[in-house]
């Protein structure tokens, strides 16, 4: 079994290196700063944009099969427009490089709720077999595939970022069976995607 602290370290340093390659000046925060593992400033150009990034890392035999735990804290509303997640999938095979998915916080919050509630309320599931609470939500690579290596999204405020979740998620979000968490920003208006 993989050491979870080591897995966290791999993801944070991988994300920081990728940010630096793209002209950002990343600073790893100390443990205990809630919701922010990396503060990054765009060091190139005149903008000096500052973003907060939470890194979630998961390891697996194959990167395309990993899923990240995205519980209540991951589903909480954004504090501001420049909050993002970098989801890192680390394959156990050291010859294969990690994969990264850059996702605005409000998109992660929606995906975590939608994926879990769709699973929990699936009409085809056997009665009584699915009862895990939403704080146990796990979301896989397939949900975030269109966010892979989308470091350019960090240059946009969350409200301006295109929603790249699977199109069916919009239908689920609008359905009474699944919906969105009551305090989610999209309750005030669902974006197109």
């Amino acid at each position: 079994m993989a050491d979870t602290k080591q897995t966290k370290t791999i993801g944070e340093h991988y994300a920081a290196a990728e940010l630096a390659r793209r002209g950002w000046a990343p600073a790893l925060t100390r443990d205990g700063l809630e919701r922010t593992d990396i503060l990054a400033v765009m060091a190139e150009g005149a903008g000096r944009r500052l973003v907060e990034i939470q890194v979630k890392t998961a390891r697996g035999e194959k990167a395309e099969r990993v899923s990240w735990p995205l519980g209540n804290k991951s589903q909480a509303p954004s504090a501001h427009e420049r909050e993002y997640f970098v989801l890192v999938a680390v394959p156990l095979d050291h010859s294969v490089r990690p994969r990264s998915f850059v996702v605005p916080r409000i998109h992660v919050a929606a995906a975590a709720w939608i994926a879990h509630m769709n699973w929990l309320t699936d009409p085809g599931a056997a009665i009584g077999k699915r009862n895990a609470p939403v704080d146990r939500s796990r979301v896989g690579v397939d949900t975030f595939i269109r966010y892979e290596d989308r470091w350019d999204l960090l240059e946009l405020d969350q409200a301006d970022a295109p929603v790249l979740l699977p199109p069916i998620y919009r239908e689920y979000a609008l359905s009474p069976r699944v919906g969105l968490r009551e305090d989610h920003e999209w309750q005030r208006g669902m974006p197109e995607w």
Side-chain angles (χ1 to χ4, degrees), residues 6-18:
Q6 186 71 356
T7 299
K8 178 177 170 48
T9 298
I10 292 166
E12 289 175 358
H13 286 268
Y14 181 78
E18 290 297 310

Side-chain angles (χ1 to χ4, degrees), residues 24-37:
W24 292 86
L28 293 169
T29 63
R30 293 178 163 253
D31 286 340
L33 182 57
E34 191 171 44
R35 294 167 52 139
T36 305
D37 298 309

Side-chain angles (χ1 to χ4, degrees), residues 3-160:
D3 180 331
T4 55
K5 286 190 184 257
Q6 186 71 356
T7 299
K8 178 177 170 48
T9 298
I10 292 166
E12 289 175 358
H13 286 268
Y14 181 78
E18 290 297 310
L19 284 161
R21 276 183 359 116
R22 291 167 171 79
W24 292 86
L28 293 169
T29 63
R30 293 178 163 253
D31 286 340
L33 182 57
E34 191 171 44
R35 294 167 52 139
T36 305
D37 298 309
I38 299 173
L39 289 170
V41 176
M42 177 51 87
E44 298 174 357
R48 307 283 297 179
R49 181 176 173 83
L50 172 69
V51 295
E52 293 182 41
I53 299 169
Q54 184 169 5
V55 180
K56 290 278 189 183
T57 310
R59 282 176 138 172
E61 192 65 43
K62 295 185 177 186
E64 61 272 9
R65 291 198 181 155
V66 302
S67 63
W68 298 273
L70 299 170
N72 285 334
K73 289 182 182 179
S74 299
Q75 297 172 40
S78 299
H80 58 83
E81 281 289 314
R82 296 178 178 182
E83 281 190 277
Y84 304 86
F85 276 83
V86 173
L87 306 169
V88 181
V90 180
L92 297 178
D93 180 349
H94 299 298
S95 68
V96 178
R97 69 184 282 260
R99 294 171 67 184
S100 56
F101 305 82
V102 183
V103 190
R105 175 176 273 282
I106 58 175
H107 301 199
V108 168
W113 178 273
I114 292 166
H116 187 80
M117 295 307 290
N118 183 53
W119 170 83
L120 185 67
T121 64
D122 180 353
I127 295 173
K129 293 292 183 186
R130 296 185 178 178
N131 55 13
V134 74
D135 68 325
R136 302 288 308 258
S137 179
R138 292 191 72 89
V139 183
V141 167
D142 56 332
T143 297
F144 298 113
I145 197 70
R146 293 174 53 205
Y147 293 93
E148 188 164 11
D149 289 325
R150 288 300 307 267
W151 298 94
D152 59 300
L153 294 179
L154 297 175
E155 298 174 29
L156 302 171
D157 287 350
Q158 291 186 88
D160 298 326

